[in-house]
Coordinates of all heavy atoms in Angstrom, one line a residue:
M4 N 0.9 -1.2 0.0 CA 0.0 0.0 -0.1 C 0.9 1.3 0.0 O 1.9 1.2 0.7 CB -0.9 0.0 1.3 CG -2.0 -1.0 1.2 SD -3.1 -0.7 2.5 CE -2.2 -1.4 3.8
P5 N 0.4 2.3 -0.8 CA 1.2 3.5 -0.8 C 1.1 4.3 0.5 O 0.2 4.1 1.2 CB 0.7 4.3 -1.9 CG -0.7 3.7 -2.1 CD -0.7 2.4 -1.7
L6 N 2.3 5.0 0.8 CA 2.1 6.0 2.0 C 1.7 7.4 1.5 O 1.9 7.8 0.5 CB 3.6 6.1 2.5 CG 4.1 4.9 3.2 CD1 5.6 5.2 3.6 CD2 3.4 4.7 4.6
Y7 N 0.9 7.9 2.3 CA 0.3 9.3 2.0 C 0.9 10.2 3.3 O 0.9 9.7 4.4 CB -1.2 9.2 2.0 CG -1.7 8.6 0.8 CD1 -2.0 7.2 0.9 CD2 -1.8 9.2 -0.4 CE1 -2.5 6.5 -0.3 CE2 -2.2 8.6 -1.5 CZ -2.6 7.2 -1.5 OH -3.0 6.6 -2.6
E8 N 1.1 11.4 3.0 CA 1.5 12.4 4.0 C 0.4 13.3 4.4 O -0.5 13.6 3.6 CB 2.6 13.3 3.3 CG 3.4 14.1 4.3 CD 4.6 14.8 3.7 OE1 4.6 14.9 2.5 OE2 5.5 15.2 4.4
F9 N 0.3 13.4 5.8 CA -0.7 14.2 6.3 C -0.1 15.2 7.2 O 1.1 15.1 7.7 CB -1.7 13.4 7.3 CG -2.5 12.4 6.4 CD1 -2.0 11.2 6.2 CD2 -3.7 12.8 6.0 CE1 -2.7 10.1 5.5 CE2 -4.5 11.8 5.3 CZ -4.0 10.6 5.1
R10 N -0.8 16.4 7.5 CA -0.3 17.5 8.4 C -1.4 17.8 9.3 O -2.5 18.1 9.0 CB 0.1 18.8 7.5 CG 0.6 19.8 8.4 CD 1.2 21.2 7.7 NE 0.4 21.4 6.5 CZ 0.8 22.1 5.5 NH1 2.0 22.4 5.4 NH2 0.0 22.3 4.4
C11 N -0.9 17.9 10.6 CA -1.9 18.2 11.7 C -2.3 19.8 11.5 O -1.4 20.6 11.2 CB -1.2 17.8 13.0 SG -2.3 18.3 14.4
A12 N -3.6 20.0 11.8 CA -4.0 21.4 11.8 C -3.5 22.1 13.1 O -3.4 23.3 13.2 CB -5.5 21.4 11.7
A13 N -3.1 21.5 14.1 CA -2.7 22.0 15.4 C -1.3 22.1 15.5 O -0.7 22.1 16.6 CB -3.2 21.1 16.6
D14 N -0.6 22.1 14.4 CA 0.9 22.3 14.5 C 1.8 21.2 15.1 O 2.7 21.4 15.6 CB 1.2 23.6 15.1 CG 2.5 24.3 14.5 OD1 2.8 23.9 13.3 OD2 3.1 25.3 15.1
C15 N 1.3 20.0 15.0 CA 2.0 18.8 15.3 C 3.1 18.3 14.3 O 4.0 17.5 14.7 CB 1.1 17.6 15.8 SG 0.2 18.0 17.2
G16 N 2.9 18.9 13.2 CA 3.9 18.4 12.1 C 3.2 17.5 11.2 O 2.0 17.2 11.1
R17 N 4.0 16.9 10.3 CA 3.7 15.9 9.3 C 3.9 14.5 9.8 O 4.7 14.2 10.6 CB 4.4 16.2 8.0 CG 4.2 17.6 7.5 CD 5.0 17.8 6.2 NE 4.8 19.0 5.7 CZ 5.2 19.4 4.4 NH1 5.9 18.6 3.7 NH2 4.9 20.6 3.9
F18 N 3.0 13.6 9.2 CA 3.3 12.1 9.4 C 2.7 11.5 8.3 O 2.2 12.0 7.4 CB 2.6 11.8 10.8 CG 1.1 12.0 10.8 CD1 0.2 11.0 10.4 CD2 0.6 13.2 11.2 CE1 -1.1 11.2 10.4 CE2 -0.8 13.5 11.2 CZ -1.6 12.5 10.8
E19 N 3.1 10.3 8.1 CA 2.6 9.4 7.1 C 1.8 8.2 7.5 O 2.0 7.7 8.6 CB 3.9 8.8 6.4 CG 4.7 9.9 5.8 CD 6.1 9.2 5.1 OE1 6.4 8.2 5.6 OE2 6.5 9.9 4.2
R20 N 0.9 7.8 6.7 CA -0.1 6.6 6.9 C -0.1 6.0 5.6 O 0.0 6.5 4.5 CB -1.3 7.2 7.4 CG -1.5 7.7 8.8 CD -1.8 6.7 9.7 NE -2.0 6.9 11.1 CZ -3.0 7.5 11.6 NH1 -4.0 7.6 11.0 NH2 -3.0 8.0 12.9
S21 N -0.3 4.6 5.7 CA -0.4 3.8 4.6 C -2.0 3.5 4.4 O -2.6 3.1 5.5 CB 0.3 2.6 4.8 OG 0.2 1.7 3.7
F22 N -2.5 3.7 3.3 CA -4.0 3.3 2.9 C -3.9 2.6 1.5 O -3.1 2.9 0.7 CB -4.7 4.6 2.9 CG -4.9 5.2 4.2 CD1 -4.2 6.3 4.6 CD2 -6.0 4.7 5.0 CE1 -4.4 6.9 5.8 CE2 -6.2 5.2 6.2 CZ -5.4 6.4 6.7
P23 N -4.9 2.0 1.3 CA -5.2 1.4 -0.1 C -5.6 2.7 -1.0 O -6.3 3.6 -0.4 CB -6.4 0.5 0.0 CG -6.4 0.1 1.3 CD -5.8 1.2 2.2
M24 N -5.1 2.7 -2.2 CA -5.4 4.0 -3.1 C -6.8 4.1 -3.2 O -7.3 5.4 -3.3 CB -4.8 3.7 -4.4 CG -3.2 3.6 -4.3 SD -2.6 3.5 -6.1 CE -2.6 5.1 -6.6
A25 N -7.8 3.1 -3.1 CA -9.2 3.4 -3.3 C -9.8 3.9 -1.9 O -10.9 4.5 -2.0 CB -9.8 2.1 -3.8
D26 N -9.2 3.7 -0.9 CA -9.8 4.1 0.4 C -9.1 5.2 1.1 O -9.2 5.4 2.4 CB -9.9 3.0 1.3 CG -10.7 1.7 0.7 OD1 -11.6 2.1 -0.1 OD2 -10.5 0.6 0.9
V27 N -8.3 6.0 0.5 CA -7.4 7.1 1.2 C -8.4 8.2 1.6 O -9.1 8.7 0.7 CB -6.2 7.5 0.4 CG1 -6.7 8.1 -0.9 CG2 -5.3 8.5 1.2
P28 N -8.4 8.5 2.8 CA -9.3 9.6 3.2 C -8.6 11.0 3.1 O -7.5 11.1 2.9 CB -9.5 9.4 4.8 CG -8.3 8.7 5.2 CD -7.9 8.0 3.9
R29 N -9.4 12.1 3.0 CA -8.8 13.4 3.0 C -8.2 13.8 4.2 O -7.4 14.7 4.2 CB -10.0 14.4 2.5 CG -10.4 14.1 1.1 CD -11.1 15.3 0.4 NE -11.3 15.1 -0.9 CZ -10.5 15.6 -1.9 NH1 -9.4 16.1 -1.5 NH2 -10.9 15.4 -3.1
S30 N -8.8 13.4 5.3 CA -8.3 13.6 6.7 C -8.3 12.5 7.5 O -9.1 11.6 7.5 CB -9.1 14.9 7.3 OG -10.4 14.5 7.5
V31 N -7.4 12.5 8.6 CA -7.2 11.4 9.6 C -7.0 12.1 10.9 O -6.7 13.3 11.0 CB -6.2 10.5 9.3 CG1 -6.4 9.7 8.0 CG2 -4.9 11.1 9.3
S32 N -7.1 11.3 12.0 CA -6.9 11.9 13.3 C -5.4 11.9 13.5 O -4.6 11.0 13.2 CB -7.6 11.2 14.4 OG -7.0 9.8 14.4
C33 N -4.9 13.2 14.1 CA -3.5 13.1 14.4 C -3.0 12.2 15.5 O -3.8 12.0 16.5 CB -3.1 14.8 14.9 SG -1.5 14.9 15.4
P34 N -1.9 11.5 15.3 CA -1.3 10.6 16.3 C -0.9 11.4 17.6 O -0.7 10.7 18.7 CB -0.2 9.8 15.7 CG 0.2 10.7 14.6 CD -1.0 11.6 14.2
G35 N -0.6 12.7 17.5 CA -0.1 13.5 18.7 C -1.2 13.9 19.5 O -1.2 13.8 20.7
C36 N -2.1 14.6 18.8 CA -3.1 15.4 19.7 C -4.6 14.9 19.4 O -5.6 15.6 19.8 CB -3.1 16.8 19.4 SG -3.5 17.4 17.5
E37 N -4.8 13.9 18.5 CA -6.1 13.4 18.1 C -6.8 14.4 17.4 O -8.0 14.3 17.2 CB -6.8 12.9 19.3 CG -6.1 11.7 20.0 CD -5.9 10.4 19.2 OE1 -6.9 10.2 18.4 OE2 -5.0 9.7 19.4
G38 N -6.2 15.4 16.8 CA -6.9 16.6 16.1 C -7.1 16.0 14.6 O -6.7 15.1 14.3
D39 N -7.5 17.1 13.9 CA -7.7 16.8 12.5 C -6.6 17.0 11.7 O -5.8 18.0 11.9 CB -9.0 17.6 12.0 CG -9.4 17.2 10.5 OD1 -9.4 16.0 10.4 OD2 -9.9 18.1 9.8
A40 N -6.0 15.9 10.8 CA -5.0 16.2 10.0 C -5.3 16.0 8.7 O -5.9 15.0 8.3 CB -3.8 15.1 10.4
T41 N -4.9 16.9 7.6 CA -5.3 16.9 6.3 C -4.3 16.3 5.5 O -3.2 16.2 5.7 CB -5.8 18.2 5.8 OG1 -4.7 19.0 6.0 CG2 -7.0 18.8 6.6
R42 N -4.8 15.6 4.5 CA -3.8 15.0 3.5 C -3.1 16.1 2.6 O -3.7 17.0 2.2 CB -4.5 13.9 2.5 CG -3.6 13.2 1.8 CD -4.3 12.0 0.9 NE -5.1 12.8 -0.1 CZ -5.9 12.2 -1.0 NH1 -5.9 11.0 -1.0 NH2 -6.7 13.0 -1.7
L43 N -1.9 15.9 2.5 CA -1.0 16.9 1.7 C -1.1 16.4 0.2 O -1.1 15.1 0.0 CB 0.4 16.9 2.2 CG 0.5 17.5 3.6 CD1 2.0 17.5 4.1 CD2 -0.1 18.9 3.8
V44 N -0.8 17.3 -0.8 CA -0.7 16.9 -2.1 C 0.8 16.5 -2.3 O 1.7 17.4 -2.2 CB -1.1 18.0 -3.1 CG1 -0.9 17.7 -4.4 CG2 -2.6 18.5 -2.8
S45 N 1.1 15.3 -2.3 CA 2.4 14.8 -2.6 C 2.2 13.5 -3.3 O 1.2 12.9 -3.5 CB 3.1 14.7 -1.3 OG 2.5 13.6 -0.5
S46 N 3.4 13.0 -3.9 CA 3.2 11.6 -4.6 C 3.3 10.6 -3.7 O 4.1 10.5 -2.7 CB 4.4 11.6 -5.6 OG 5.7 11.6 -4.7
P47 N 2.3 9.7 -3.8 CA 2.3 8.6 -3.0 C 3.6 7.7 -3.1 O 4.1 7.5 -4.3 CB 1.0 7.6 -3.3 CG 0.7 8.3 -4.7 CD 1.3 9.7 -4.8
R48 N 4.2 7.0 -2.1 CA 5.3 6.3 -2.2 C 5.0 4.9 -2.7 O 5.0 4.1 -1.8 CB 6.2 6.4 -0.9 CG 6.7 7.9 -0.7 CD 7.5 7.8 0.5 NE 7.9 9.2 0.8 CZ 8.6 9.5 1.8 NH1 9.0 8.5 2.7 NH2 8.8 10.7 2.1
L49 N 4.7 4.7 -3.9 CA 4.3 3.5 -4.3 C 5.4 2.4 -4.2 O 5.2 1.2 -3.9 CB 3.7 3.5 -5.8 CG 2.6 4.4 -6.0 CD1 2.4 4.5 -7.5 CD2 1.4 3.7 -5.4
G50 N 6.5 2.8 -4.6 CA 7.7 1.7 -4.6 C 8.5 1.7 -3.3 O 9.6 1.2 -3.3
H51 N 8.1 2.4 -2.3 CA 8.9 2.5 -1.1 C 9.1 1.2 -0.5 O 8.0 0.4 -0.1 CB 8.1 3.4 0.0 CG 9.0 3.8 1.0 ND1 10.2 4.5 1.0 CD2 8.8 3.4 2.4 CE1 10.7 4.6 2.1 NE2 10.0 3.9 3.0
G52 N 10.2 0.6 -0.5 CA 10.4 -0.8 0.1 C 11.9 -1.1 0.1 O 12.7 -0.1 0.0
S53 N 12.1 -2.4 0.3 CA 13.5 -2.7 0.4 C 14.0 -3.6 -0.7 O 15.0 -4.3 -0.6 CB 13.7 -3.4 1.7 OG 12.9 -4.5 1.8
S54 N 13.4 -3.6 -2.0 CA 13.7 -4.4 -2.9 C 15.1 -3.9 -3.6 O 15.4 -2.7 -3.5 CB 12.6 -4.4 -4.0 OG 12.5 -3.2 -4.7
S55 N 15.7 -4.8 -4.2 CA 17.0 -4.3 -4.8 C 16.7 -3.5 -6.0 O 17.6 -2.5 -6.2 CB 17.7 -5.7 -5.3 OG 17.0 -6.5 -6.2
A56 N 15.7 -3.5 -6.6 CA 15.4 -2.7 -7.8 C 15.2 -1.2 -7.2 O 15.7 -0.3 -7.8 CB 14.1 -3.0 -8.4
M57 N 14.7 -1.1 -6.1 CA 14.3 0.3 -5.5 C 15.6 0.8 -4.9 O 15.9 2.0 -5.0 CB 13.3 0.2 -4.4 CG 11.8 0.1 -4.9 SD 11.4 1.4 -6.0 CE 11.8 2.8 -5.1
T58 N 16.4 -0.1 -4.4 CA 17.7 0.5 -3.9 C 18.6 0.9 -5.1 O 19.3 1.9 -4.9 CB 18.5 -0.9 -3.1 OG1 17.6 -1.3 -2.1 CG2 19.8 -0.4 -2.7
L59 N 18.6 0.1 -6.1 CA 19.4 0.5 -7.2 C 18.7 2.0 -7.8 O 19.6 2.9 -8.2 CB 19.3 -0.4 -8.4 CG 19.9 -0.1 -9.8 CD1 21.4 0.2 -9.5 CD2 19.8 -1.1 -10.8
L60 N 17.5 2.1 -8.0 CA 16.8 3.4 -8.4 C 17.2 4.6 -7.4 O 17.5 5.6 -8.0 CB 15.5 3.2 -8.6 CG 15.0 2.5 -9.7 CD1 13.5 2.2 -9.6 CD2 15.2 3.0 -11.0
D61 N 17.2 4.3 -6.1 CA 17.5 5.3 -5.1 C 19.0 5.6 -5.4 O 19.3 7.0 -5.4 CB 17.3 4.9 -3.7 CG 15.7 4.8 -3.6 OD1 15.0 5.3 -4.2 OD2 15.4 4.1 -2.5
A62 N 20.0 4.8 -5.4 CA 21.3 5.0 -5.6 C 21.7 5.8 -6.9 O 22.4 6.8 -6.9 CB 22.2 3.7 -5.7
T63 N 21.0 5.5 -8.0 CA 21.1 6.1 -9.2 C 20.6 7.6 -9.1 O 21.3 8.5 -9.5 CB 20.4 5.3 -10.4 OG1 20.8 4.1 -10.4 CG2 20.5 6.1 -11.7
K64 N 19.5 7.7 -8.6 CA 19.0 9.1 -8.3 C 19.9 9.9 -7.4 O 20.1 11.1 -7.7 CB 17.5 9.0 -7.8 CG 16.8 10.3 -7.8 CD 15.4 10.0 -7.2 CE 14.6 11.3 -7.2 NZ 13.1 11.0 -6.7
R65 N 20.3 9.3 -6.4 CA 21.2 10.1 -5.4 C 22.5 10.4 -6.1 O 23.0 11.4 -6.0 CB 21.5 9.2 -4.2 CG 22.2 10.0 -3.1 CD 22.4 9.0 -2.0 NE 21.4 8.0 -1.6 CZ 21.6 6.7 -1.8 NH1 22.8 6.3 -2.1 NH2 20.6 5.9 -1.5
S66 N 23.1 9.5 -6.9 CA 24.3 9.9 -7.6 C 24.2 10.9 -8.7 O 25.1 11.7 -8.9 CB 24.9 8.5 -8.3 OG 24.1 8.1 -9.3
A67 N 22.9 11.1 -9.2 CA 22.7 12.1 -10.2 C 22.8 13.5 -9.4 O 23.1 14.5 -10.1 CB 21.5 11.9 -11.0
Q68 N 22.2 13.4 -8.3 CA 22.1 14.9 -7.5 C 23.3 15.1 -6.6 O 23.7 16.3 -6.5 CB 20.8 14.8 -6.7 CG 19.6 14.7 -7.6 CD 18.4 14.4 -6.6 OE1 18.4 14.2 -5.6 NE2 17.2 14.6 -7.3
E69 N 23.9 14.0 -6.1 CA 25.0 14.1 -5.2 C 26.0 13.2 -5.5 O 26.4 12.2 -4.9 CB 24.5 13.9 -3.7 CG 23.5 14.7 -3.3 CD 22.9 14.3 -1.9 OE1 23.5 13.4 -1.5 OE2 21.8 14.8 -1.6
P70 N 26.7 13.4 -6.6 CA 27.7 12.4 -7.1 C 29.1 12.3 -6.1 O 29.2 13.2 -5.2 CB 28.3 13.0 -8.4 CG 28.0 14.5 -8.4 CD 26.6 14.7 -7.4
A71 N 29.5 11.0 -5.9 CA 30.5 10.8 -5.0 C 31.6 11.6 -5.4 O 32.1 11.6 -6.5 CB 30.8 9.4 -4.9
V72 N 32.3 12.2 -4.4 CA 33.6 12.9 -4.6 C 34.8 12.0 -4.5 O 35.0 11.3 -3.5 CB 33.7 14.0 -3.6 CG1 35.1 14.8 -3.8 CG2 32.6 15.0 -3.7
V73 N 35.6 11.8 -5.5 CA 36.7 11.0 -5.6 C 38.1 11.8 -5.5 O 38.1 13.0 -5.9 CB 36.8 10.1 -6.8 CG1 35.6 9.1 -6.9 CG2 36.9 11.0 -8.1
P74 N 39.2 11.3 -5.0 CA 40.3 12.2 -4.8 C 41.1 12.2 -6.0 O 42.0 13.3 -6.2 CB 41.2 11.2 -3.8 CG 40.6 9.9 -4.0 CD 39.2 10.0 -4.3
G75 N 40.9 11.5 -7.1 CA 41.5 11.7 -8.3 C 41.2 10.6 -9.4 O 40.3 9.8 -9.1
P76 N 41.8 10.5 -10.5 CA 41.6 9.6 -11.5 C 41.9 8.2 -10.9 O 42.7 8.1 -10.0 CB 42.4 10.0 -12.7 CG 43.4 10.8 -12.2 CD 42.8 11.4 -11.0
P77 N 41.4 7.1 -11.5 CA 41.7 5.8 -11.0 C 43.3 5.5 -11.2 O 43.7 6.1 -12.2 CB 40.8 4.8 -11.8 CG 40.4 5.8 -13.0 CD 40.4 7.1 -12.6
P78 N 43.8 4.6 -10.4 CA 45.3 4.4 -10.6 C 45.4 3.7 -11.9 O 44.6 2.9 -12.4 CB 45.5 3.6 -9.4 CG 44.1 2.9 -9.0 CD 43.2 3.8 -9.4
R79 N 46.7 3.9 -12.5 CA 47.1 3.4 -13.7 C 48.0 2.2 -13.4 O 48.4 1.9 -12.3 CB 47.8 4.4 -14.6 CG 47.1 5.6 -14.9 CD 47.8 6.4 -15.9 NE 47.8 5.7 -17.3 CZ 47.8 6.0 -18.4 NH1 47.7 7.3 -18.6 NH2 47.6 5.3 -19.5
A80 N 48.0 1.4 -14.4 CA 48.9 0.2 -14.3 C 50.4 0.6 -13.9 O 50.7 1.8 -14.2 CB 49.0 -0.6 -15.5
A81 N 51.2 -0.3 -13.4 CA 52.6 0.1 -13.1 C 53.5 0.5 -14.3 O 54.3 1.3 -14.1 CB 53.2 -1.0 -12.3
S82 N 53.1 -0.1 -15.4 CA 53.9 0.2 -16.6 C 53.5 1.6 -17.3 O 54.3 2.1 -18.2 CB 53.7 -0.9 -17.6 OG 52.3 -1.0 -18.0
G83 N 52.5 2.1 -16.8 CA 51.9 3.4 -17.3 C 51.1 3.2 -18.6 O 50.6 4.2 -19.1
R84 N 51.1 1.9 -19.0 CA 50.2 1.7 -20.3 C 48.9 1.3 -19.8 O 48.5 0.9 -18.6 CB 50.8 0.6 -21.1 CG 52.2 1.1 -21.6 CD 52.8 0.1 -22.5 NE 52.2 -1.3 -22.6 CZ 52.8 -2.4 -23.0 NH1 54.0 -2.3 -23.1 NH2 52.0 -3.5 -23.0
S85 N 47.8 1.3 -20.7 CA 46.5 0.9 -20.3 C 46.5 -0.7 -20.2 O 47.4 -1.4 -20.7 CB 45.6 1.3 -21.5 OG 45.9 0.6 -22.7
P86 N 45.6 -1.1 -19.4 CA 45.6 -2.7 -19.1 C 45.4 -3.5 -20.4 O 44.7 -3.1 -21.3 CB 44.5 -2.8 -18.1 CG 43.7 -1.6 -18.2 CD 44.6 -0.6 -18.8
V87 N 46.1 -4.6 -20.5 CA 46.1 -5.5 -21.6 C 45.3 -6.7 -21.2 O 45.6 -7.3 -20.1 CB 47.5 -5.9 -22.1 CG1 47.5 -6.9 -23.3 CG2 48.3 -4.7 -22.4
T88 N 44.4 -7.2 -22.1 CA 43.5 -8.3 -21.9 C 44.4 -9.6 -22.2 O 45.3 -9.5 -23.1 CB 42.2 -8.3 -22.6 OG1 41.6 -9.5 -22.4 CG2 42.6 -8.1 -24.1
N89 N 44.1 -10.6 -21.5 CA 44.7 -11.9 -21.9 C 43.9 -12.8 -22.5 O 44.2 -14.0 -22.8 CB 45.4 -12.4 -20.6 CG 46.6 -11.7 -20.0 OD1 47.2 -11.1 -20.8 ND2 46.7 -11.7 -18.7
N90 N 42.6 -12.4 -22.7 CA 41.7 -13.2 -23.3 C 42.0 -13.5 -25.0 O 42.1 -12.6 -25.7 CB 40.2 -12.7 -23.3 CG 39.1 -13.5 -23.7 OD1 39.3 -14.4 -24.4 ND2 38.0 -13.3 -23.1
P91 N 42.2 -14.8 -25.4 CA 42.6 -15.0 -26.7 C 41.5 -14.6 -27.7 O 41.9 -14.4 -28.9 CB 42.8 -16.5 -26.8 CG 42.2 -17.1 -25.6 CD 42.1 -16.1 -24.5
L92 N 40.3 -14.5 -27.3 CA 39.2 -14.1 -28.3 C 39.5 -12.6 -28.6 O 39.0 -12.2 -29.7 CB 37.9 -14.3 -27.6 CG 37.5 -15.8 -27.4 CD1 36.1 -15.9 -26.7 CD2 37.5 -16.6 -28.8
H93 N 40.0 -11.9 -27.7 CA 40.1 -10.4 -28.1 C 41.3 -10.2 -29.0 O 41.3 -9.1 -29.6 CB 40.6 -9.7 -26.8 CG 39.5 -9.7 -25.8 ND1 39.6 -9.3 -24.6 CD2 38.1 -10.0 -25.8 CE1 38.5 -9.3 -23.8 NE2 37.5 -9.8 -24.6
R94 N 42.1 -11.2 -29.4 CA 43.1 -11.0 -30.5 C 42.5 -10.9 -31.9 O 43.1 -10.3 -32.8 CB 44.1 -12.1 -30.4 CG 44.9 -12.2 -29.2 CD 46.0 -13.3 -29.3 NE 46.6 -13.4 -28.0 CZ 46.8 -14.5 -27.4 NH1 46.6 -15.7 -28.0 NH2 47.4 -14.6 -26.2
R95 N 41.3 -11.5 -32.0 CA 40.6 -11.4 -33.3 C 39.8 -10.0 -33.4 O 39.4 -9.8 -34.6 CB 39.4 -12.5 -33.3 CG 40.0 -13.8 -33.4 CD 38.8 -14.8 -33.4 NE 39.2 -16.1 -33.5 CZ 38.5 -17.1 -33.7 NH1 37.2 -17.0 -33.5 NH2 38.9 -18.5 -33.8
L96 N 39.8 -9.2 -32.5 CA 39.1 -7.9 -32.6 C 39.9 -6.9 -33.5 O 41.1 -7.2 -33.6 CB 38.9 -7.3 -31.3 CG 37.9 -8.0 -30.4 CD1 37.9 -7.3 -29.0 CD2 36.4 -8.1 -31.0
P97 N 39.2 -6.1 -34.3 CA 39.9 -5.2 -35.2 C 40.8 -4.3 -34.5 O 40.5 -3.8 -33.3 CB 38.8 -4.6 -36.0 CG 37.6 -4.7 -35.1 CD 37.8 -5.9 -34.4
R98 N 41.9 -3.9 -35.1 CA 42.9 -3.0 -34.4 C 42.4 -1.6 -34.8 O 42.1 -1.3 -35.9 CB 44.3 -3.3 -34.8 CG 44.8 -4.7 -34.5 CD 45.3 -4.9 -33.1 NE 45.5 -6.2 -32.8 CZ 46.0 -6.6 -31.7 NH1 46.2 -5.7 -30.7 NH2 46.3 -7.9 -31.5
P99 N 42.7 -0.7 -34.0 CA 42.5 0.8 -34.4 C 43.5 1.3 -35.4 O 44.5 0.8 -35.4 CB 42.5 1.5 -33.1 CG 43.2 0.8 -32.2 CD 43.1 -0.8 -32.6
Ligands
ZN121 ZN1 -1.8 17.0 16.1

């Protein structure tokens, strides 16, 4: 079930509740003061979970907005040349 965000009218703040999409109410009772809390206009978190696909999507989105800072380029081989493959099938590939 998706999560929906609500805000208390008595300044208790925001909280989330899970409801089926067909049965989501416009207001619920606040868990802090039992007052009226209205639903906010936000995207329901349909995919909020711990699946590996969601983890990958979150990591991809995070790296687009906050890329990891690296100290420099990746280390080169000791000879200074680019790494050479030892796979015999790669010898058939066309040369530049
Ligand atoms: Zn409240």
Side-chain angles (χ1 to χ4, degrees):
M4 285 188 288
L6 284 172
Y7 293 91
E8 193 173 20
F9 294 88
R10 180 174 42 207
C11 176
D14 213 19
C15 291
R17 298 178 177 195
F18 60 94
E19 294 176 332
R20 287 268 178 90
S21 180
F22 288 100
M24 291 180 83
D26 298 333
V27 60
R29 291 197 173 273
S30 65
V31 296
S32 65
C33 173
C36 68
E37 301 294 328
D39 194 31
T41 56
R42 188 178 63 177
L43 298 176
V44 177
S45 61
S46 60
R48 295 186 186 172
L49 296 172
H51 191 68
S53 61
S54 70
S55 58
M57 284 307 299
T58 303
L59 175 62
L60 287 173
D61 289 344
T63 303
K64 190 175 182 180
R65 191 178 328 110
S66 69
Q68 296 170 352
E69 302 168 12
V72 178
V73 295
R79 300 190 69 146
S82 63
R84 298 180 356 201
S85 60
V87 177
T88 178
N89 293 327
N90 189 332
L92 295 176
H93 291 169
R94 292 182 191 141
R95 292 179 171 178
L96 294 173
R98 303 278 174 178

